[in-house]
Amino acid sequence: MASKLTNFHDAVQSLKLYRRAELPGQDNNSAIVEKLYVDPLPNDHVFETVRMPNTSFIIGRKGTGKSTIFQRLQYELTKDKKKTSAYVDIKTIFESSQVDSRTHAKIATMDFALPPQEIERILLLKSFIISVIVEIKKELKKRTESSFWETIKDSFSGSLDELFEELDELIEEIDVERFISVLGIKHVQGKQQEENIRSSGENAEIKLKIDPNPVDFTVGGQRASSTKDASEISYSDILISVFDIKDLLSKLKTILSNLGVRHLYILVDDFSELPEDAMKVVVDLLLAPLNNWSEEFIKLKVAAYPGRIYYGQIDKTKIDEVYLDIYKLYGSNDVSTMEDNATEFVRRLVMMRIKVYKAGKVADYFDSNLDEILKELFYATMGNPRIIGYLLHYCHESHLIYDRKIGVRAIQQAAKKYYEDKIESYFSLSKFLHESFGEKSSIFGLKELLEMLVVRAKELRSHSSSVFDSINGRPPTSHFHVSVAYESILQTLELNFFLTKYYEMSDRDGRKVSVYAMNYGLCQKYTLAFGRPGRERAYRLYFVERVFDYSPLLHKYMAKNQEIICQECEFKYSIDDLEAIRWNKMKCRECASGICEVVNLSKKYENVLRDVDKSLLLPAAELGILQTLHLGTDAMFAGDIASELDCSYQLIGRRGRYLHDKGLVVRGKNDAGRRVFAITDLAEESYFSQGSDDDLSVETADDMD
């Protein structure tokens, strides 16, 4: 049994893994992906959709399986000699493209020095293309190890070295100096443009011509507020032309066509992890041209988060959108069917891992009532494979190693631990973020909103009505509904797993509403019964009982914590004007030129944020490293920290040195000479000593009794 338990632990760890880490206990990492893959839908419908030669956006929150689908797709493409692929970890590319001091110092000596952010854009584009070509080489080299090379000799007369030499030449052509000289011109013209617009106020325009590749265009603007947009347009046009993506595509297509390759699949992972401005650069200057100009040669597969997608010039009517969260996957019939289908996916996922890792039988690890346990596991994870891995890992530590099987209570305890360890810290660490006060206030404004939701749910436990009075025991109050117009307010809470969109229904008045479920672990912590009373017809519309209509509560929150401000004239609107302003495309009615923005505020936690010692402020990556080390029991390798934070181990190495210099992390070496990291007592005391404001403030009258 001991060896089987070890195999079970390896199976669980494989579910926990972020991105494309090596699977534990497996020698052939690529081949095992085909065996382990479990599609969320019958007949591998999700995978079959993604493998089609169309541009696709695979949309889901963290841990829903986007990277797993990419791995499965790449393995399948190795079997097709007419297709090849390139996996691009865009988050890591972005991290590596940040301007270092030497590069910036070199460019600063030139006549026309560019701002660091524009240099970073250049490096981002350069790194992206180089990464694509390097990945193509990697995939082709894998194929040469098999019989693939023999099958293409007839169509390609050159040697393998010659093929790779041509790809290397493409990389050499991507010369950053070409960008710097042209963008120096653009920088000066941009200043002149801004001056012209400010002086004339109307009908300003600039003409720009660049040799040796002639580019003629005109940029116009109406008022000073348009300067940024016009500058961005000119920047994009110049960069596309100088970069000459069409020529690059033509050369790449010719090289691969000589091998008989007809389609190149570019898999872009972690797209939504980019800052908004970088996201626009990647789409406008790379993805859209690659998609629109490649003449069906390139097929993009982009992994993104719901609500954090920028399409730019990519035609949404000509692409596939594949959603991986439960409502989009299973919500076409009724709530019961959705729950059954999602639970069945959890069953197939767990059973397949146990089978492939040769860990014995499911009955070896779970109590006799397996159906009830799997339904509870679905509630606790919303069918998210990564969270399933974490919860089973916790159950392994709390039960299996003590020769106790996993039951419903074990799942509940694990869900509470996961909430406290992984989710709740979103607020407790955010006060230490090295961001503007407004951005942190916006985060804590959402904390206030969550507190309002939880307080209301706790109050409803003692609600009396014909429906509630018919329920034996404590009535479930974990779900609520809102008008679909309020979905955007809840988006960030959902993205961070405090909430999950559960279903769409018509309420008692026939209006379309969205039903949300609070995090299962949160419900365990604050003693909220989860789900519905039962499947009886009397409770079919339980989630849309009028007491669960939280739309008025959200409106109250908006009136208290949100402001609508014109970015040009700074006029403040009432929150009741929001719908009318949206109809006017957020344009200000007072100055007629400014764009209005909804700003979140946290008046309740304003003093908490202002009282934070500024010397403790850190970027999100550094805070993530500290939290990972805080939750760990031993010193950790950079790769292990990276797998927890969904980033590269190189980033951990760089940021770890910075934290070491601040006395927050110890960088040492183990007996084998490998670098390890551990958190210091100073960091524990500064960032993780429990404060009165860290938990949700959700006391009700019942708690006082």
Side-chain angles (χ1 to χ4, degrees), residues 245-254 289-290 293-294 298:
I245 291 179
K246 284 187 176 181
D247 182 59
L248 181 72
L249 279 173
S250 176
K251 291 179 179 178
L252 184 59
K253 186 175 180 180
T254 299
L290 289 174
W293 298 349
S294 68
I298 289 178

Side-chain angles (χ1 to χ4, degrees), residues 6-7 9-37 67-68 71-72 75 349 352-353 356-357 643:
T6 300
N7 292 346
H9 184 255
D10 286 343
V12 167
Q13 291 296 107
S14 72
L15 281 170
K16 275 179 56 184
L17 289 176
Y18 283 65
R19 297 192 305 180
R20 300 160 66 86
E22 294 295 311
L23 294 168
Q26 301 298 327
D27 297 325
N28 189 344
N29 207 55
S30 58
I32 198 67
V33 169
E34 183 178 24
K35 296 179 181 178
L36 285 176
Y37 180 75
S67 296
T68 301
Q71 286 181 295
R72 178 70 182 88
Y75 181 74
L349 189 69
M352 182 61 73
R353 294 283 159 153
V356 172
Y357 276 84
S643 69

Side-chain angles (χ1 to χ4, degrees), residues 348-589:
R348 291 188 288 116
L349 189 69
V350 172
M351 292 182 70
M352 182 61 73
R353 294 283 159 153
I354 291 175
K355 176 183 177 182
V356 172
Y357 276 84
K358 299 178 181 178
K361 300 177 181 178
V362 176
D364 294 335
Y365 307 101
F366 297 94
D367 276 347
S368 57
N369 195 349
L370 183 60
D371 290 343
E372 183 182 353
I373 294 169
L374 290 173
K375 177 60 68 74
E376 209 72 18
L377 190 57
F378 158 64
Y379 287 150
T381 63
M382 293 293 140
N384 185 297
R386 188 178 298 163
I387 301 177
I388 292 172
Y390 269 103
L391 263 58
L392 293 181
H393 167 72
Y394 292 151
C395 289
H396 174 268
E397 291 184 333
S398 65
H399 283 69
L400 296 180
I401 62 174
Y402 297 105
D403 202 25
R404 296 191 311 228
K405 291 187 177 182
I406 300 170
V408 169
R409 184 59 186 152
I411 298 293
Q412 292 172 343
Q413 292 170 346
K416 181 173 179 285
K417 177 175 173 57
Y418 183 81
Y419 171 76
E420 292 176 337
D421 284 357
K422 301 293 184 179
I423 297 177
E424 193 174 48
S425 59
Y426 174 72
F427 294 124
S428 59
L429 285 181
S430 289
K431 63 185 177 185
F432 298 111
L433 272 175
H434 198 287
E435 299 286 356
S436 68
F437 177 82
E439 290 174 340
K440 289 191 289 187
S441 182
S442 179
I443 292 173
F444 273 78
L446 292 174
K447 182 179 182 181
E448 287 190 49
L449 173 58
L450 183 63
E451 289 171 346
M452 294 170 70
L453 299 176
V454 174
V455 166
R456 176 61 175 159
K458 292 178 70 175
E459 291 172 345
L460 287 176
R461 293 178 304 187
S462 57
H463 177 72
S464 178
S465 69
S466 58
V467 173
F468 274 58
D469 293 345
S470 67
I471 299 170
N472 292 324
R474 175 171 287 175
T477 58
S478 55
H479 292 57
F480 62 90
H481 67 268
V482 297
S483 168
V484 292
Y486 288 108
E487 282 190 357
S488 60
I489 303 173
L490 302 174
Q491 197 169 75
T492 302
L493 287 176
E494 183 178 13
L495 198 60
N496 289 281
F497 295 99
F498 291 99
L499 305 172
T500 296
K501 183 174 178 180
Y502 206 69
Y503 206 70
E504 284 185 359
M505 305 175 71
S506 295
D507 67 6
R508 296 286 186 175
D509 299 315
R511 299 173 303 176
K512 185 179 179 181
V513 297
S514 297
V515 176
Y516 285 84
M518 293 185 187
N519 180 276
Y520 185 92
L522 178 152
C523 291
Q524 293 300 313
K525 179 167 184 172
Y526 296 107
T527 61
L528 300 173
F530 192 91
R532 290 173 294 161
R535 294 200 171 201
E536 293 85 353
R537 184 168 180 79
Y539 303 121
R540 183 174 57 88
L541 299 177
Y542 184 75
F543 292 150
V544 289
E545 288 291 320
R546 287 190 173 88
V547 293
F548 293 129
D549 181 5
Y550 285 14
S551 297
L553 188 148
L554 263 62
H555 187 273
K556 178 181 177 182
Y557 162 79
M558 292 170 64
K560 177 185 175 185
N561 292 79
Q562 290 190 334
E563 290 182 347
I564 306 172
I565 304 175
C566 173
Q567 299 302 294
E568 180 70 17
C569 68
E570 298 185 354
F571 183 84
K572 293 184 180 180
Y573 290 87
S574 164
I575 202 68
D576 293 326
D577 294 325
L578 180 58
E579 197 60 35
I581 296 173
R582 280 177 175 161
W583 276 103
N584 198 34
K585 298 182 179 179
M586 300 303 288
K587 291 181 180 178
C588 178
R589 295 177 301 193

Side-chain angles (χ1 to χ4, degrees), residues 77-86 136-137 139-140 143 148-149 151-152 155-156 163 167 249-266 294-299:
L77 290 174
T78 60
K79 304 176 185 178
D80 190 336
K81 64 182 182 181
K82 293 185 178 181
K83 299 173 183 176
T84 192
S85 64
I136 291 171
K137 286 177 58 179
E139 286 299 311
L140 292 179
R143 297 187 181 204
F148 171 78
W149 182 244
T151 66
I152 64 172
S155 59
F156 181 63
L163 167 66
L167 290 171
L249 279 173
S250 176
K251 291 179 179 178
L252 184 59
K253 186 175 180 180
T254 299
I255 294 171
L256 294 180
S257 294
N258 287 336
L259 298 177
V261 174
R262 297 292 176 260
H263 292 301
L264 167 62
Y265 285 63
I266 299 180
S294 68
E295 298 177 346
E296 299 298 316
F297 173 59
I298 289 178
K299 304 300 174 185

Side-chain angles (χ1 to χ4, degrees), residues 36-44 330 341 343-353 374:
L36 285 176
Y37 180 75
V38 175
D39 201 272
L41 295 175
N43 301 314
D44 282 351
Y330 309 114
N341 290 338
T343 302
E344 179 58 26
F345 169 63
V346 173
R347 179 193 300 272
R348 291 188 288 116
L349 189 69
V350 172
M351 292 182 70
M352 182 61 73
R353 294 283 159 153
L374 290 173

Side-chain angles (χ1 to χ4, degrees), residues 179-190:
F179 291 105
I180 294 171
S181 60
V182 172
L183 288 174
I185 296 172
K186 176 260 166 187
H187 187 59
V188 174
Q189 293 287 356

Side-chain angles (χ1 to χ4, degrees), residues 11-146:
V12 167
Q13 291 296 107
S14 72
L15 281 170
K16 275 179 56 184
L17 289 176
Y18 283 65
R19 297 192 305 180
R20 300 160 66 86
E22 294 295 311
L23 294 168
Q26 301 298 327
D27 297 325
N28 189 344
N29 207 55
S30 58
I32 198 67
V33 169
E34 183 178 24
K35 296 179 181 178
L36 285 176
Y37 180 75
V38 175
D39 201 272
L41 295 175
N43 301 314
D44 282 351
H45 181 73
V46 168
F47 172 66
E48 292 299 330
T49 302
V50 173
R51 72 179 291 197
M52 294 291 290
N54 304 316
T55 289
S56 308
F57 278 73
I58 300 92
I59 304 167
R61 292 179 294 178
K62 290 182 180 181
T64 48
K66 300 183 293 296
S67 296
T68 301
I69 292 173
F70 277 178
Q71 286 181 295
R72 178 70 182 88
L73 176 61
Q74 280 199 285
Y75 181 74
E76 195 67 25
L77 290 174
T78 60
K79 304 176 185 178
D80 190 336
K81 64 182 182 181
K82 293 185 178 181
K83 299 173 183 176
T84 192
S85 64
Y87 173 85
V88 178
D89 176 2
I90 196 67
K91 180 182 177 182
T92 299
I93 289 175
F94 174 75
E95 291 165 357
S96 65
S97 69
Q98 303 304 287
V99 176
D100 60 49
S101 56
R102 289 178 298 175
T103 302
H104 186 46
K106 176 184 175 182
I107 296 175
T109 62
M110 302 179 66
D111 291 337
F112 304 116
L114 294 174
Q117 63 268 26
E118 294 203 356
I119 301 171
E120 287 171 359
R121 291 182 177 191
I122 299 167
L123 296 176
L124 175 60
L125 298 172
K126 179 183 176 184
S127 299
F128 182 94
I129 294 298
I130 290 176
S131 178
V132 168
I133 296 173
V134 168
E135 285 295 319
I136 291 171
K137 286 177 58 179
K138 189 184 298 183
E139 286 299 311
L140 292 179
K141 282 185 177 179
K142 286 181 185 177
R143 297 187 181 204
T144 61
E145 296 170 359
S146 65

